Amino acid sequence: MPENQNPPETNPPTEPNNPPNDTPSNAPSTEALGTLKSIQADLTELKALKNDGLKEQTQILQAYADTLKGELGDQINAFQKNHLSAGVRLLKNVNPYRAIMVQKVLTDKTDGRIVYYGDILIQGGEDWKNGGGKASSTAYFTRVAFPKEAIMDQIIDIIGGHSNFYALLKDKNHIYVWGNNAHGCLGLGHTSAVPLPQRVAFPAVVKKIVSKTYASGYQFALVLLADGSVWGAGYNGNGTLGVGNTIARSSFTQLSTLNDPVKDIWSCSNYTGGCFALTQAGELYAWGWGGNGGLGLGNSADALRPTRIDGLKNVINVYPYSKDDSGFRQTNFVLVRNDDGDVLYGAGYNGHKQLNQDNTTDSSAFIKVFETTSRVKKFSGGTCYCICVLLEDNGNLWVWGHGNYGFGNNQATNNQNAMLIERGVSDFDHHPYNYQSVIFRKGDQLFAWGYNNNSLGIGNNTSQREYQLIPHLNFVDGEMDFMQTSIYEAERALLITDGKTLYANGTPYGGNLLVTSNAPMPQLIP
């Protein structure tokens, strides 16, 4: 190369992926990364603190709620202990076949008033008879399987028997039914057996239900609503549904010919007999089987629709009785309350002086049976081979009729007019069916007479024509209730309660009692 000649200038090689130094970079610096990690850590810590705080607050609230719940429970328990008493109630409008039925209740300790109606319990029965779906009889109490809402609505009574049952609720427009559903008497629109309680609705609040029979294959029911209408379902062989024909109904059908609102209703004590309704205007109507002239309409013809009974005013109660004893017979009674006293009238069969006359001639019109200047506190009548028992509010107990198992005194002859049996009586129980027996209370003691299938509770199994003391009962005055139940032919059981403990005696049938006992024995209530 010549001297003093400079070589040509060349640019230094440049890395193709490296931008010039003055170009900003997208990658975070170490300082930025540190800052981001610090913020993330702070957020994680805050989140953890928040969760811990919420969890702690929730735990505090839960502990507080548990404390309140415990204090409330203690207060409720203390209130119940001081003011309420748990007990058992007898159900007197039901006669289950080979079973006994009671209800658990809470009562006010100060006045004995029921403040809560609880579970219905049944001992014995099977399949569609027990309401619990049991396939066989059990000699212990089980709960009738009502849905929860039925218990919350409060069941105030059970009506029925022999094999069909109706639950009346407190101020509701529906009922619950179960049983063998003979002739569709449960009103569900079919005739199939109903093993568990089912709901039946009505257009108004249900006020009263009447239904009773001693035959599994025949039954009907009448229902009175608060609007004064009457509805019926089931057997209708003699016009007992009052709808103008003898066709059975499997759904509840209204008795449309009762134009005036109805105040009260009554039905016969078996599936064939007379039915009665008292209107709010005070008129008494009858329909159904007219045998023995028992409807009081002047003849013995069946009445397929409600027919007014003339001549009876101030009616306060009706007692219809019918019975199949080699053919049906019926005797029906009407209680009239006047200012100067009470008068009991009767119509129908009088072959055993059920009408308390000097003759044994049937009557197709209501005639005077018993008159008092006092008030009739309680009456239980009957028809053929039955006695009639009447208690005045002054404590006088009167008996008349057939008396094949005695009148409670030393009278040995049947077919007697009214006799005063005892004074100072406060209550009695008598079932108008075969094999008559009577239990009555005087003071703090119970007495019994009549047919005895270990069911009189007097410590032996001998029938008694004169009343005998039921021993070993130490109840406080005012705290005793009693009834005969599970009655069919010679079968029956005696139930007694002081409101807390249930006592029973009799001969077991179908698991209705745990053991045979001729004196009242405590029962196990779950």
Side-chain angles (χ1 to χ4, degrees), residues 449-488:
W449 87 81
Y451 176 77
N452 192 8
N453 187 6
N454 291 305
S455 53
L456 291 183
I458 58 176
N460 61 57
N461 195 30
T462 303
S463 297
Q464 305 289 329
R465 296 187 68 88
E466 298 183 49
Y467 67 76
Q468 306 290 321
L469 174 68
I470 299 178
H472 312 305
L473 295 176
N474 299 308
F475 293 158
V476 178
D477 186 35
E479 297 183 357
M480 186 195 306
D481 200 8
F482 53 95
M483 68 178 293
Q484 300 172 87
T485 188
S486 193
I487 294 176
Y488 179 67

Side-chain angles (χ1 to χ4, degrees), residues 211-286:
S211 181
K212 188 179 291 184
T213 187
Y214 295 96
S216 296
Y218 300 89
Q219 192 159 350
F220 71 94
L222 298 176
V223 176
L224 172 63
L225 304 186
D227 63 5
S229 63
V230 180
W231 303 69
Y235 181 73
N236 192 30
N238 298 92
T240 46
L241 297 184
V243 293
N245 56 50
T246 57
I247 302 172
R249 298 289 196 276
S250 62
S251 297
F252 281 100
T253 304
Q254 184 177 357
L255 281 69
S256 58
T257 55
L258 278 169
N259 297 322
D260 294 331
V262 172
K263 181 180 180 180
D264 208 345
I265 57 172
W266 300 267
S267 71
C268 51
S269 59
N270 212 329
Y271 65 90
T272 294
C275 299
F276 298 84
L278 180 66
T279 68
Q280 294 180 6
E283 301 288 347
L284 185 63
Y285 288 79

Side-chain angles (χ1 to χ4, degrees), residues 140-217:
Y140 53 84
F141 280 103
T142 56
R143 175 183 175 272
V144 176
F146 288 101
K148 181 179 180 180
E149 57 267 24
I151 301 300
M152 297 301 294
D153 286 342
Q154 295 201 60
I155 299 166
I156 60 174
D157 205 1
I158 302 294
I159 297 93
H162 187 77
S163 300
N164 291 283
F165 306 94
Y166 306 80
L168 177 64
L169 282 70
K170 185 176 182 180
D171 300 326
K172 299 297 178 183
N173 67 342
H174 57 272
I175 63 176
Y176 285 87
V177 300
W178 74 98
N180 75 345
N181 201 17
H183 292 268
C185 64
L186 299 180
L188 293 167
H190 60 77
T191 58
S192 300
V194 180
L196 299 175
Q198 292 190 23
R199 188 176 185 269
V200 180
F202 291 89
V205 170
V206 178
K207 182 179 178 181
K208 185 177 182 179
I209 308 168
V210 290
S211 181
K212 188 179 291 184
T213 187
Y214 295 96
S216 296

Side-chain angles (χ1 to χ4, degrees), residues 38-110:
S38 176
I39 292 172
Q40 186 177 17
D42 290 343
L43 289 173
T44 302
E45 183 178 359
L46 286 172
K47 184 177 181 180
L49 288 173
K50 182 180 180 182
N51 288 338
D52 288 344
L54 288 174
K55 183 177 181 181
E56 182 179 358
Q57 291 177 23
T58 301
Q59 291 174 342
I60 292 173
L61 289 174
Q62 184 63 52
Y64 183 60
D66 290 342
T67 301
L68 289 177
K69 184 178 180 181
E71 291 177 353
L72 180 60
D74 292 341
Q75 291 178 11
I76 291 174
N77 291 334
F79 179 83
Q80 289 182 347
K81 183 177 180 180
N82 294 328
H83 301 280
L84 301 180
S85 176
V88 62
R89 169 183 177 237
L90 303 183
L91 298 168
K92 297 192 174 183
N93 289 313
V94 63
N95 181 49
Y97 176 66
R98 293 186 171 180
I100 59 178
M101 194 178 293
V102 296
Q103 184 176 28
K104 298 176 74 173
V105 294
L106 289 176
T107 58
D108 190 317
K109 286 186 176 181
T110 59

Side-chain angles (χ1 to χ4, degrees), residues 14-15 17-26:
T14 303
E15 292 292 332
N17 295 325
N18 291 337
N21 291 336
D22 57 351
T23 304
S25 173
N26 292 327

